[in-house]
Amino acid sequence: MLWINDDGSIARVLQPFDPDYRAEDAVYLPGWIVPGFVNAHCHLELSHLKGKIEERTGLNGFVSALMQVRNNFNDDRQIAIEEADREMYHSGIVAVADICNGNSTFNQKKNSSVYYHSLIERFGFNGQMAQTIANDGQALMADLDDEAGNMCLHAPYSASIELQKLVKEHLDNIPNGFYSIHHAESEAEVELFKTGQGSMADRMRNIGLIEREFPFTGIRPIDYLIDFFPESKNILLVHNTFITAADLEKLKPYRDRLFLCLCPNANLYIENALPDIEQLRETGFLITVGTDSLASNHQLDMLSEIKVIHQHFPSISLEELFRWSSYNGAKLLGIEKEKGHFSQGSKPGIVHIQAVDNTQKKLTFESYSRLI
Ligand SMILES: [Zn+2]
């Protein structure tokens, strides 16, 4: 039983044997309650693209379609951002790590009930442009005012060595923040670093990012990144659909501050594939859950992500999935004192999950979550 203060903070967590435990004074909620969700990967700025990009075209198809439609917007864009923010909040999301390429979401974030950590996404494969790209990122950072945020990289195939160095320098010199990058999202990305060939190499050639050969081959995407991890900040690798046991072995020295983010609905939307979540779990890495964007998902709803994992990997307990989607996300963002758990003095937000199968401790197709 939770005893809640008027400001939403937890006054007491009472067990049935506690002398102050009086069931008759409590409000009984059918279903389950869990701490507010932390969405570890989102692109709020793409909310106007809901339903605009075809499903299951692979990452290359997705990126090409995204480039064509991402700037097709008018006033609807702000409305879509506002609606998506509200949708997240009502479904139980209390904090978000949100990717930004511009400042379109900043106003909404200032007025939102959700806590945002904005990740200013930088990309560019031309090393000569790296300093300009980083400077533009710094200018965007200034627009954030006192909201939480830092610069991050987009993906291994879109970051020059020079840009990686600059982002590392940035992270090593700011007081708070964390490294974030999309990683091993597609087979094409793995193929690019393995052989320098394949659809991603073709695309890079077509748009002039490389002249002929891709210069970094015979390696895994992670080999290209690992030397530029920050010295002490948390590290978030997003997607990991095609990560291998050997990759995870290389990441072991970072295990206490490295987070693997799962975005199962987006993986199914884009690649129609899921990472081997059971294998990731067995390695003991910290796992978080994200919704990705409305360009690659039908909703920004953490319970919907949990349902997909629950359905495909039934051996993983729901308790564990809720830890990934609440506490681990809070730890990534450095807000774990307040969020992610029910304990005296914390203010995690309370999520009520209804339409659950209580006898088998399972979520059902109809299960839904609401912040109370
Ligand atoms: Zn993403």
Side-chain angles (χ1 to χ4, degrees), residues 41 43 182 239 292:
H41 183 71
H43 305 243
H182 297 91
H239 291 306
D292 216 342

Side-chain angles (χ1 to χ4, degrees), residues 60 64 198-212:
N60 267 312
S64 305
S199 57
M200 196 163 276
D202 292 344
R203 189 174 162 273
M204 290 177 86
R205 225 171 272 125
N206 286 342
I207 57 177
L209 284 176
I210 46 174
E211 272 181 36
R212 283 183 187 186

Side-chain angles (χ1 to χ4, degrees), residues 259-279:
F259 297 74
L260 300 170
C261 182
L262 308 173
C263 304
N265 274 316
N267 297 153
L268 293 175
Y269 194 112
I270 299 173
E271 291 277 338
N272 198 24
L274 287 175
D276 185 344
I277 297 175
E278 185 66 57
Q279 180 206 8

Side-chain angles (χ1 to χ4, degrees), residues 41-43 99 121 154 182 185 238-239 263 292-293 296:
H41 183 71
C42 184
H43 305 243
I99 305 287
E121 185 173 68
H154 166 250
H182 297 91
E185 187 177 356
V238 181
H239 291 306
C263 304
D292 216 342
S293 74
S296 61

Side-chain angles (χ1 to χ4, degrees), residues 24-43:
E24 63 277 15
D25 293 345
V27 178
Y28 173 71
L29 299 168
W32 304 336
I33 52 169
V34 298
F37 296 128
V38 178
N39 182 354
H41 183 71
C42 184
H43 305 243

